Amino acid sequence: MAAKVRSRKSYRFAFRSSLYIVIIGIAVLALLQWRFSTINWAILLFAALFFFIISFITLQLRIEKFIYKRIKKIYDDVELLESSTILSYPVTTDMRTLTAEIEKFAKDKKIEIDTLKIREEYRKDFLGNVSHELKTPLFTVQGYIETLLDGAMEDKNIRKKYLTRANKAVDRLIYIVKDLDLITKLEVGDLNLDKGSFDIVELIQSVFDLLEMKAAKKNITLTFDMEYVDPIFVYADKEKIQQVLTNLLVNSIKYGNDNGTTEVSVEDLVKNKVIVRVTDNGEGIPAVHIPRLFERFYRVDQSGSRREGGSGLGLAIVKHVIEAHGEKIYVESAVEVGSEFSFTLEKSIVQIEEVQ
């Protein structure tokens, strides 16, 4: 239960009102004295003091009884004490301050409501996307198993084929669940990074080798922008950066044009930073989608039948891994021209010393 509001009385209204009453009253009294006799300044001064004291006490008591108590109840009802800015100071019953506080309260609540609406929309999108991604492999497995149970199990060839396909669908489910687990850990900061010094050029080449067969199916060339003779050492979690590079290159291959090229470059950014760029000449991304690219399950292709598979978490994982390193990721894209994803990394002490 919220604590009671600590109030601070204001006498401004009663003071000003009493002053106005005294000015008007003394003006009338002085006019009467002038009309019927000479003006007595001592009487006027005494009357002014008397009227002011009586008016001030009467107004203040009435205001406290009929206005200030209601004002204080307003503070209690809207529970302004939950605000840290209010907790630090006593709440004044002055009308001007009350108006400012209520306006601030209303503004804060509007922001809170707008934030809740955005979160609700995000929650709906997230649940819809999760169900979409999970139901496809689940229904696939269910379909194959039901077919086998309905009699197809007796055919050895069909049994093997369907079990193989069901196994692939289960693998996709496991892949999605693992990605969900990883991104959840990244978002709550529960993933410990195993940082160390390694050659980023060598790591990129190893990812090229891993994806060579996938790229060959679309005749896409994976290449560096130039020949890197010397190693470039960075300080990061090698396994996680490999995952970042893999996700970016897989996306580049998926949405790249046949006979296209994906180029990776490593450039000096500042004294202790490098920037890794992954550039392709694929179909590109419309500008309207770019602000949401790194959201969970967000896809540029919003149609029900998506021509490319995957968990839909790749870019979200990339963003969180890079941010977990305290680095930045950037994206530039133009439709029918291509896309460039780039991210920064900290140079290794070994590399900095070599440069110096």
Side-chain angles (χ1 to χ4, degrees), residues 161-271:
K161 181 173 69 173
Y162 280 15
L163 286 175
T164 301
R165 291 179 179 178
N167 186 60
K168 287 183 179 178
V170 171
D171 285 342
R172 187 182 175 193
L173 277 172
I174 294 171
Y175 178 66
I176 293 171
V177 171
K178 282 184 176 179
D179 277 357
L180 274 171
D181 180 60
L182 175 61
I183 199 169
T184 301
K185 288 181 179 178
L186 285 167
E187 287 182 345
V188 300
D190 193 30
L191 189 69
N192 295 322
L193 297 176
D194 183 19
K195 288 187 175 183
S197 180
F198 62 91
D199 181 9
I200 187 67
V201 176
E202 181 183 358
L203 183 64
I204 294 169
Q205 184 60 58
S206 68
V207 176
F208 282 173
D209 295 340
L210 288 171
L211 300 177
E212 184 178 7
M213 296 291 291
K214 191 177 186 69
K217 291 179 181 178
K218 295 182 70 173
N219 293 319
I220 290 177
T221 303
L222 303 178
T223 182
F224 285 103
D225 66 316
M226 57 176 281
E227 183 180 357
Y228 289 90
V229 179
D230 299 322
I232 301 176
F233 290 98
V234 295
Y235 184 71
D237 186 319
K238 185 176 181 179
E239 182 181 343
K240 296 298 181 293
I241 297 302
Q242 180 175 355
Q243 187 171 16
V244 167
L245 290 166
T246 301
N247 287 350
L248 291 178
L249 288 170
V250 165
N251 270 6
S252 178
I253 294 168
K254 278 183 183 179
Y255 303 105
N257 295 323
D258 290 349
N259 302 311
T261 302
T262 295
E263 183 181 272
V264 180
S265 64
V266 184
E267 305 167 13
D268 286 330
L269 187 62
V270 291
K271 183 178 179 181

Side-chain angles (χ1 to χ4, degrees), residues 49-86:
L49 185 61
F50 177 78
F51 287 155
F52 180 83
I53 293 172
I54 295 300
S55 300
F56 180 83
I57 293 174
T58 303
L59 285 170
Q60 186 66 25
L61 290 175
R62 300 295 289 173
I63 288 169
E64 287 184 11
K65 183 175 181 180
F66 291 101
I67 298 179
Y68 285 175
K69 285 183 179 179
R70 289 170 174 78
I71 292 174
K72 188 170 181 294
K73 188 175 184 304
I74 291 174
Y75 277 108
D76 287 329
D77 289 343
V78 299
E79 295 182 348
L80 283 175
L81 281 175
E82 293 181 1
S83 171
S84 59
T85 57
I86 298 300

Side-chain angles (χ1 to χ4, degrees), residues 139-151:
F139 288 166
T140 301
V141 172
Q142 184 185 41
Y144 287 137
I145 292 176
E146 286 179 350
T147 303
L148 291 172
L149 291 175
D150 287 343

